[in-house]
Amino acid sequence: DVIVSVAWRQLETEEEVKNLVKQISGIQDEEDQNFQLALKFTWSNFRFHRFLDANSHKVQRSVNGIYEKLMVHSDLSKAESWVRLTEEFLNSPLPNTDGIKTDVHHSLLDLLLHLSDSPLNSNYSETPRLKETEKEDDFDWFGYLQEGELDTGPYPDTPEWSEEESEDEDSQQPLSREDSGIQVDRTPQEDQEKTVPVTWTVGEPDARTWLEQHVVTPYWQGHTPRFPHSLHLHSNLLNVWDQHLYNTDPLYLPEEKAFVTETQVIRETLWLLSGVKKHFIFQHQDGKVVVRNDVVVTHLTNNCLRSLLEHIAVYGQAVFRLQRFIDEVTGYDTEPCPPGSYSSKQGTEPPFRTYQAFVWALYKYFTSFKQELTTIERDLIGKDETVTLAGVLDRLSPHLAQIKVLHKVFCTGVAEVPPETPNVVRASHLLNTLYKAIIEYDSVGEASQQAVALLFSLWTETVRPYLEIVDEWIVHGHLFDPAKEFIIQRNKDVPVNHRDFWYATYTLYSISETVESEEKLSDAASGSSGGEQASRSQLTMVSFLKPVLKQIIMAGKSMQLLKNLDCKEAEQTDDAERKSLYTLFLESVQSRLRCRDDSPTDTVTEQQATKQSLIKMQSIVAQHLQMDDIHDPLLAINFARLYLEQSDFHERFSGGDVIVDRSSESVTCQTFELTLRSCLYPHIQKRYIECCGNLMTTLKKDYRLLEYLQAMRNYFLLEAGDTMYDFYTAIFDKVLEKESWQQLAFLNVQLQEAVGQRCPEDSSRLSIFLETIDPVRKKQPVNNLDGLTLSYKVPWPVDIVVSSECQRIYNQVFLLLLQIKWAKYSLDTLTFKEVKAKRLEGTPEEVKAKEPINQQIHRMFLLRVKLMHFVNSLHNYIVTRILHSTGLEFQHQVQEAKDLDQLIKIHYRYLSTIHDRCLLREKVSFVKEAIMKVLNLVLIFSDRWQVGFGAWKIGSIDKMESDFKNCHMFLVTILNKAVCRGSFPHLESLALSLMAGFEQC
């Protein structure tokens, strides 16, 4: 046969070649010499020349090119025919060729393309071709095969019923959760409008009875007739067991039972898990799902069936509670809406978006779960294979485990919260519950990967409103939280342009770990101080925001302040191009896990590498544990898994011998916090740096913050020496001349003249006040300057940094400096000529008799020198060691400040340091009192020096020397002890200086 077919094909080829030569050359006589030459030439090319195979891609490009040309020339009918015919040709079989779109097809099409002559210019009309239709088999196989097998019923002419028609009819009926069936969650509105209701017309009254008897046994009605079933022993286990009980127990009394099939039990199980409330086997009593006592199946005992159904009822109860929660939040709608569109029963209350997002996540999960239930029910209806209750439960076991997890999270995070709990506590508690559940389930290991994945998806959906609130605040400076569910809430009583805006605008709520009947809420001022207070009181916020809570607060307040400053940097955000924080977070999570999805072919290799690394790491850890006589392989492998998640584990334990492929990383507990740290926190940190950096730049450039801080140091700390010297020396001269200087007009004139000569801008901001002081304090000369208060008007928003409290501290240091300057000025202005000129005027007789005048004057000179040494030492310590060195450090820290809160802290720390080192703190008040006694002694000494030697009383020099010596010795002793303890290293220079003066005494 093969030889014959080959010979037949060769004959056909020869005839075709002859026809080809005739068509091309036009010679019809085969005996012609030219015809024979052409035939030999053609055969020679066919047999001995090699032709390139047709390129299918090139041919297809040519076909597409012709189609485009036809379309350009608007020859639509020809273009449509071209595409259709070429497709039909490529998809039609050829003689002696297997398959479609083969090389033979493309070769023939390539030949036709080369032979075609400008198809655009030719007139073409498609010739209709009739296809041979296959003869249909009109034999009634159905009637032949079913002859004598089926009961056609009382009306044999009734058309046959099919499952497809039944499904079409069922699809027209509106479905609800109250019906015993699987709820269809997606029903296109258009299909509902186009459907026509199907009616079933029955002519005889007994037709419905016949239909009910032949469709399904009405097991939901009492005293239903027994359905026919197999007589096999396995199918009658219940009867066998009842007979055994009847024979062994004389008091056994059979009860009325409702018989159902296993298929019916499976269907009601599916209906229960899909959220249907009305059942026969399962019943709802007081919000709980219970099982009927009288329901039995023929192949199971009553106890066995009941234990199995009670197990199912537990999950049905969980589904029922979760579904009821979904209905409550969504307003009892049949289909919840996305988180953006909330439809609550309480139309006047703002939407609680955290619960909305949580419900939306639950709804999406139940949608996929109900699809699985629908698939199982279709398999049950199709009866293509045996479906058992055990098989259904085994198929649903992953979903049932996930429902158990969801129900546990719901009970802990939602159901156990008291009804009157504020929304901020509800939202924080729910997010913390999900956060802790992820960590708890992930600690189990690989056994809970599905639970961790479910909880992570649930958490990412639930956290969306929180991240949207954060995004709106740190990007636009608007804390949009109508339901008051965010842990930071706006105090509307304080406007933005208020001087206390930075401290009293926001309230940070700290929520206790345990949710009790009375929630403990503690509010603190926003910023780091609030965080520190919360940590000291051992209260927790939303767990995932803890590491970046300060950055969120700083960025939000900075952005709001920038918006009200009309800053250009604050208007650079474009919402059309900008991605939200939530979107950036999801994209970062996807990119973190994309390595595993992009290389599916390397999965086995990655798993093998990870397994080998785990084995190596386990041996290393086991060796370390054996050093402590611990032989626990489970502990070793768990430590190995933990170390594999660390980036530097090989450096610590194996010296770089183990190589881990990090692409196999998934979202687990070891990586969940790492996921937040790498996918969420960097976006918040980036925005924090931008907002706070823009605010600091604006305050420094546009509002001259650094200049105002320098002005405070110039005038309050007397760093502008020449300017302030002119001011306070005018006061000291009045005092020396015994003139009154407490006139407010005089003080302001002197201040304006001193400042206006060098800094005209500051002259309008500076003013001085006299506060009333206790008359008892005026008894000492050094206290005469008390009540002298300097004021510097600082504009908003600079007054956030230079507050009234800061100016109060500045004034305390300013008063101390004035007192030291007054004492030093009093000693510096004393001359020797005054004493010599007045030494004989009114000299008391007892002074002359007791001690020579020259010796008295010499003692006064020595006392003056000692007092000058003390005052100069104190002055140099305050001005050089404290103000100057601390001021340089303060300037450097101000330049490095990242945000306004950090700048405020630096300023407060600077003032606190100056206040402490100037011995103004209450704990070292005794040291200040000793210094004040010496300064008071200096002023008394200078006053008597100016009056003259004759005003001295007997023993005055002795008492002054004694008082100074006691104070001097006390201060030297105290300062030396403090320096030796190392608690006050800055006092060392003052202690050494006073010690040198004391030794000279």
Side-chain angles (χ1 to χ4, degrees):
D1 293 339
V2 175
I3 296 174
V4 171
S5 62
V6 171
W8 180 256
R9 182 178 298 179
Q10 186 173 2
L11 290 175
E12 285 184 347
T13 306
E14 290 179 357
E15 291 297 327
E16 293 295 337
V17 171
K18 290 180 180 179
N19 292 331
L20 177 65
V21 172
K22 291 178 181 179
Q23 290 291 335
I24 295 176
S25 63
I27 303 175
Q28 302 297 326
D29 187 8
E30 297 182 1
E31 301 299 330
D32 193 343
Q33 184 177 2
N34 292 329
F35 181 87
Q36 293 295 328
L37 290 175
L39 183 63
K40 290 181 181 179
F41 175 78
T42 304
W43 271 114
S44 176
N45 278 278
F46 283 161
R47 291 175 178 174
F48 305 111
H49 285 254
R50 295 182 180 180
F51 298 95
L52 294 176
D53 293 337
N55 190 340
S56 59
H57 298 286
K58 185 176 180 181
V59 172
Q60 192 62 41
R61 283 197 299 269
S62 300
V63 171
N64 295 337
I66 293 175
Y67 171 75
E68 290 180 2
K69 290 180 181 179
L70 294 173
M71 293 298 294
V72 169
H73 289 77
S74 300
D75 201 344
L76 302 182
S77 60
K78 189 182 293 185
E80 190 273 333
S81 299
W82 171 256
V83 172
R84 179 167 48 80
L85 293 176
T86 52
E87 285 295 326
E88 288 182 1
F89 171 72
L90 291 174
N91 292 318
S92 61
L94 294 177
N96 302 323
T97 304
D98 297 333
I100 60 175
K101 294 184 178 181
T102 61
D103 291 341
V104 177
H105 287 81
H106 289 94
S107 298
L108 291 175
L109 191 58
D110 191 21
L111 176 62
L112 294 175
L113 289 172
H114 282 89
L115 294 177
S116 63
D117 181 20
S118 185
L120 294 177
N121 298 328
S122 61
N123 296 324
Y124 169 77
S125 60
E126 183 180 353
T127 304
R129 290 174 292 176
L130 298 177
K131 296 183 179 180
E132 296 182 0
T133 58
E134 297 181 0
K135 184 178 181 181
E136 296 182 358
D137 187 4
D138 55 355
F139 184 75
D140 187 8
W141 288 102
F142 181 80
Y144 174 76
L145 295 175
Q146 298 293 335
E147 182 178 358
E149 297 293 333
L150 291 178
D151 182 10
T152 58
Y155 305 101
D157 297 335
T158 302
E160 292 293 335
W161 177 85
S162 64
E163 292 184 2
E164 296 179 357
E165 294 177 356
S166 175
E167 291 178 0
D168 293 340
E169 292 181 11
D170 294 341
S171 63
Q172 312 304 322
Q173 303 298 327
L175 300 178
S176 67
R177 197 175 292 113
E178 302 295 331
D179 300 326
S180 295
I182 301 302
Q183 180 180 357
V184 181
D185 292 320
R186 297 192 303 270
T187 302
Q189 190 69 22
E190 294 79 2
D191 295 342
Q192 292 182 359
E193 295 176 355
K194 293 179 181 180
T195 54
V196 179
V198 179
T199 59
W200 186 277
T201 305
V202 180
E204 295 295 333
D206 61 339
R208 181 178 180 84
T209 303
W210 177 89
L211 186 62
E212 290 178 351
Q213 292 176 354
H214 286 76
V215 171
V216 66
T217 302
Y219 64 93
W220 55 87
Q221 298 178 358
H223 306 287
T224 56
R226 291 286 298 272
F227 51 87
H229 62 279
S230 174
L231 298 179
H232 195 274
L233 178 63
H234 296 166
S235 299
N236 292 272
L237 181 61
L238 178 65
N239 295 333
V240 175
W241 180 249
D242 282 347
Q243 186 66 35
H244 170 71
L245 293 178
Y246 181 79
N247 295 333
T248 56
D249 188 0
L251 301 179
Y252 176 73
L253 179 63
E255 300 177 354
E256 290 291 335
K257 300 180 178 63
F259 289 91
V260 295
T261 64
E262 186 173 5
T263 302
Q264 294 164 353
V265 175
I266 294 173
R267 284 197 171 185
E268 291 219 0
T269 299
L270 297 177
W271 296 340
L272 175 68
L273 296 178
S274 64
V276 178
K277 297 180 181 178
K278 294 181 180 180
H279 307 275
F280 174 73
I281 300 176
F282 303 99
Q283 295 180 344
H284 290 267
Q285 295 180 1
D286 299 330
K288 294 184 179 180
V289 179
V290 296
V291 183
R292 291 177 61 99
N293 295 325
D294 57 346
V295 175
V296 294
V297 293
T298 59
H299 59 285
L300 292 177
T301 62
N302 191 14
N303 293 335
C304 178
L305 177 64
R306 184 169 183 82
S307 63
L308 189 61
L309 294 181
E310 287 179 349
H311 175 70
I312 297 172
V314 172
Y315 293 101
Q317 174 69 22
V319 172
F320 172 72
R321 293 191 67 184
L322 292 173
Q323 192 65 59
R324 185 173 61 182
F325 172 68
I326 293 175
D327 292 341
E328 290 176 356
V329 175
T330 57
Y332 299 101
D333 291 334
T334 57
E335 183 174 339
C337 303
S341 55
Y342 180 84
S343 58
S344 175
K345 296 181 295 182
Q346 300 85 3
T348 57
E349 296 182 2
F352 187 15
R353 294 188 293 169
T354 301
Y355 273 16
Q356 280 185 330
F358 180 61
V359 163
W360 179 246
L362 290 177
Y363 173 73
K364 290 200 299 185
Y365 170 77
F366 276 112
T367 299
S368 62
F369 177 56
K370 289 177 182 179
Q371 289 176 355
E372 179 66 19
L373 295 178
T374 305
T375 303
I376 296 175
E377 189 172 17
R378 285 175 179 171
D379 295 342
L380 186 67
I381 294 174
K383 297 182 180 180
D384 295 333
E385 57 184 19
T386 303
V387 181
T388 63
L389 183 60
V392 170
L393 293 180
D394 183 67
R395 185 172 175 180
L396 291 176
S397 58
H399 292 281
L400 297 180
Q402 292 176 348
I403 289 177
K404 183 178 180 181
V405 172
L406 294 178
H407 186 254
K408 181 179 179 181
V409 170
F410 166 75
C411 292
T412 306
V414 178
E416 296 178 0
V417 180
E420 300 300 327
T421 305
N423 287 344
V424 60
V425 181
R426 292 172 179 267
S428 300
H429 182 65
L430 177 58
L431 291 173
N432 282 343
T433 301
L434 289 171
Y435 184 86
K436 293 175 183 177
I438 294 175
I439 297 177
E440 177 184 353
Y441 279 96
D442 185 75
S443 61
V444 178
E446 298 179 357
S448 61
Q449 284 185 354
Q450 292 183 351
V452 172
L454 173 66
L455 289 172
F456 183 77
S457 63
L458 207 66
W459 182 86
T460 53
E461 286 286 347
T462 309
V463 82
R464 179 174 183 172
Y466 249 62
L467 295 184
E468 288 177 349
I469 293 173
V470 172
D471 182 69
E472 178 72 16
W473 193 25
I474 65 178
V475 173
H476 299 289
H478 179 215
L479 188 60
F480 180 73
D481 182 24
K484 295 184 178 180
E485 55 190 298
F486 195 52
I487 58 174
I488 304 169
Q489 295 182 14
R490 177 76 161 88
N491 183 9
K492 297 182 179 179
D493 297 334
V494 181
V496 181
N497 57 357
H498 195 273
R499 63 181 181 181
D500 294 333
F501 161 77
W502 198 259
Y503 312 97
T505 307
Y506 297 96
T507 301
L508 174 63
Y509 283 85
S510 304
I511 299 143
S512 177
E513 283 273 1
T514 58
V515 180
E516 302 173 356
S517 59
E518 295 181 359
E519 287 296 328
K520 299 180 180 179
L521 293 178
S522 65
D523 55 332
S526 61
S528 59
S529 59
E532 293 170 0
Q533 179 177 351
S535 62
R536 286 195 300 268
S537 59
Q538 297 181 352
L539 297 175
T540 58
M541 327 285 181
V542 179
S543 301
F544 79 98
L545 284 183
K546 274 186 179 181
V548 289
L549 185 61
K550 178 187 174 183
Q551 285 85 343
I552 292 173
I553 295 173
M554 291 300 103
K557 291 196 297 185
S558 299
M559 198 64 208
Q560 186 172 5
L561 191 59
L562 280 172
K563 287 287 186 180
N564 285 270
L565 292 176
D566 297 330
C567 177
K568 295 181 180 179
E569 287 80 358
E571 300 176 357
Q572 292 178 354
T573 58
D574 188 2
D575 288 338
E577 299 178 357
R578 186 187 66 86
K579 294 182 179 180
S580 65
L581 178 62
Y582 183 74
T583 304
L584 292 174
F585 169 63
L586 293 183
E587 290 180 354
S588 300
V589 172
Q590 292 174 0
S591 63
R592 179 179 173 85
L593 303 177
R594 193 171 296 161
C595 298
R596 182 170 183 149
D597 299 335
D598 290 344
S599 56
T601 57
D602 300 335
T603 304
V604 179
T605 306
E606 294 172 1
Q607 293 177 352
Q608 293 177 352
T610 305
K611 185 176 181 180
Q612 294 176 359
S613 303
L614 184 61
I615 294 173
K616 293 181 181 180
M617 196 63 208
Q618 181 186 3
S619 62
I620 296 171
V621 175
Q623 295 176 2
H624 282 271
L625 292 176
Q626 289 175 3
M627 296 178 183
D628 299 330
D629 295 331
I630 299 176
H631 303 277
D632 191 344
L634 183 60
L635 183 63
I637 193 171
N638 280 288
F639 270 116
R641 290 175 188 246
L642 178 63
Y643 291 139
L644 284 176
E645 295 296 333
Q646 307 298 325
S647 60
D648 58 346
F649 75 95
H650 56 281
E651 298 178 0
R652 296 184 179 181
F653 296 97
S654 62
D657 296 334
V658 182
I659 301 176
V660 182
D661 188 359
R662 303 290 292 179
S663 62
S664 62
E665 200 172 42
S666 62
V667 179
T668 59
C669 171
Q670 289 88 3
T671 60
F672 181 50
E673 294 182 356
L674 296 177
T675 300
L676 294 178
R677 198 172 295 121
S678 61
C679 300
L680 177 62
Y681 299 159
H683 302 297
I684 298 177
Q685 185 75 17
K686 179 182 178 181
R687 187 60 194 170
Y688 155 76
I689 293 174
E690 291 178 358
C691 294
C692 297
N694 292 337
L695 178 60
M696 294 301 296
T697 303
T698 303
L699 292 178
K700 290 177 182 179
K701 290 185 178 180
D702 300 340
Y703 292 89
R704 302 161 50 194
L705 173 63
L706 300 181
E707 297 181 16
Y708 286 112
L709 291 175
Q710 184 61 46
M712 297 298 294
R713 294 168 55 200
N714 288 340
Y715 305 124
F716 287 86
L717 305 183
L718 307 183
E719 289 192 8
D722 50 354
T723 302
M724 297 306 293
Y725 180 81
D726 295 341
F727 166 67
Y728 60 70
T729 52
I731 300 176
F732 298 159
D733 291 338
K734 286 279 188 179
V735 175
L736 293 177
E737 294 173 3
K738 306 299 181 181
E739 297 180 4
S740 176
W741 59 271
Q742 282 90 353
Q743 291 88 10
L744 196 59
F746 164 74
L747 294 174
N748 279 289
V749 168
Q750 293 297 327
L751 182 63
Q752 295 298 326
E753 289 181 355
V755 177
Q757 294 177 1
R758 299 173 180 84
C759 301
E761 296 180 358
D762 292 334
S763 61
S764 59
R765 300 190 182 100
L766 270 174
S767 59
I768 198 161
F769 299 95
L770 281 173
E771 297 180 357
T772 57
I773 60 174
D774 189 3
V776 179
R777 296 177 57 186
K778 289 186 177 181
K779 292 182 179 180
Q780 301 296 333
V782 74
N783 294 327
N784 288 335
L785 294 177
D786 292 352
L788 198 63
T789 304
L790 198 62
S791 176
Y792 189 84
K793 294 181 181 179
V794 181
W796 182 84
V798 182
D799 58 355
I800 296 176
V801 180
V802 187
S803 60
S804 57
E805 178 65 19
C806 294
Q807 292 206 21
R808 187 184 65 81
I809 301 175
Y810 272 117
N811 269 299
Q812 292 181 5
V813 181
F814 173 68
L815 180 60
L816 176 65
L817 292 175
L818 280 185
Q819 291 170 340
I820 297 175
K821 294 285 187 180
W822 187 13
K824 188 175 185 303
Y825 185 79
S826 300
L827 291 176
D828 290 342
T829 54
L830 297 181
T831 59
F832 296 99
K833 295 181 180 180
E834 295 178 354
V835 177
K836 291 181 179 180
K838 300 179 180 179
R839 63 180 181 176
L840 297 178
E841 296 179 2
T843 302
E845 293 295 334
E846 59 268 22
V847 175
K848 294 179 182 179
K850 185 176 181 180
E851 192 174 8
I853 298 300
N854 292 332
Q855 190 173 356
Q856 292 281 341
I857 295 174
H858 181 67
R859 288 176 62 188
M860 291 177 64
F861 288 163
L862 291 178
L863 181 59
R864 176 179 179 270
V865 172
K866 294 176 183 178
L867 292 174
M868 287 186 68
H869 180 270
F870 180 90
V871 173
N872 287 333
S873 299
L874 180 63
H875 181 269
N876 291 335
Y877 164 75
I878 296 294
V879 174
T880 305
R881 183 67 178 87
I882 302 302
L883 299 182
H884 180 68
S885 59
T886 310
L888 292 178
E889 184 180 358
F890 170 67
Q891 288 180 344
H892 176 70
Q893 292 177 351
V894 167
Q895 294 292 343
E896 298 295 329
K898 296 181 180 179
D899 55 58
L900 186 57
D901 192 63
Q902 187 177 1
L903 179 60
I904 293 172
K905 282 186 177 181
I906 293 172
H907 190 221
Y908 267 115
R909 193 184 307 121
Y910 168 67
L911 292 178
S912 178
T913 301
I914 293 176
H915 188 268
D916 292 345
R917 294 185 180 181
C918 289
L919 307 174
L920 297 173
R921 196 168 50 173
E922 292 294 332
K923 292 183 179 180
V924 291
S925 59
F926 54 91
V927 179
K928 182 188 175 184
E929 289 179 3
I931 293 175
M932 289 296 105
K933 285 184 179 181
V934 176
L935 296 180
N936 191 64
L937 186 63
V938 170
L939 295 177
I940 296 174
F941 176 80
S942 300
D943 183 63
R944 294 187 178 180
W945 183 292
Q946 295 290 342
V947 173
F949 188 75
W952 288 82
K953 296 182 180 179
I954 301 174
S956 296
I957 298 178
D958 296 336
K959 187 176 185 307
M960 294 177 68
E961 288 178 345
S962 176
D963 292 343
F964 173 70
K965 184 176 181 180
N966 292 333
C967 293
H968 198 176
M969 183 173 60
F970 171 76
L971 289 172
V972 168
T973 305
I974 292 297
L975 295 179
N976 281 333
K977 287 182 179 180
V979 172
C980 292
R981 287 197 307 267
S983 55
F984 300 100
H986 56 276
L987 292 174
E988 184 176 1
S989 60
L990 179 61
L992 292 176
S993 180
L994 295 182
M995 176 65 74
F998 183 74
E999 291 176 354
Q1000 295 297 326
C1001 295

